[in-house]
Amino acid sequence: MTIAYAITLGAALIVIARLLTFRRRAGRYRPGVAFTAWAIIAVTTCLAIFGPPPNEVARWLIAAAMVALAIGLLRTGGNVAHLIRPLRRL
């Protein structure tokens, strides 16, 4: 297990745990955001199970992206709608 894979695995576990424990409370249900959260969980689970690609540069890029996603989800409390809100303004 390389360092990049360990970082990717740790970040993937944080992302999956945070999204699975998210409580919507009184917020309304939005199917697009729910599908995005499901897709994030599916992709991070695949990365955790199958591992990063054999290319060293790609490993570190995926590890950096996973850490950024984990930090973003922790800062927004697991709310994917708040995480993608800046992208909607483009």
Side-chain angles (χ1 to χ4, degrees), residues 15-60:
V15 167
I16 293 167
R18 187 61 208 135
L19 287 177
L20 288 178
T21 59
F22 174 69
R23 295 270 182 195
R24 193 166 31 97
R25 294 190 185 90
R28 66 183 192 143
Y29 175 76
R30 291 187 269 183
V33 175
F35 178 76
T36 304
W38 176 85
I40 291 171
I41 290 175
V43 170
T44 55
T45 302
C46 287
L47 281 175
I49 292 173
F50 300 120
N55 185 355
E56 188 67 28
V57 174
R59 282 186 200 155
W60 284 106

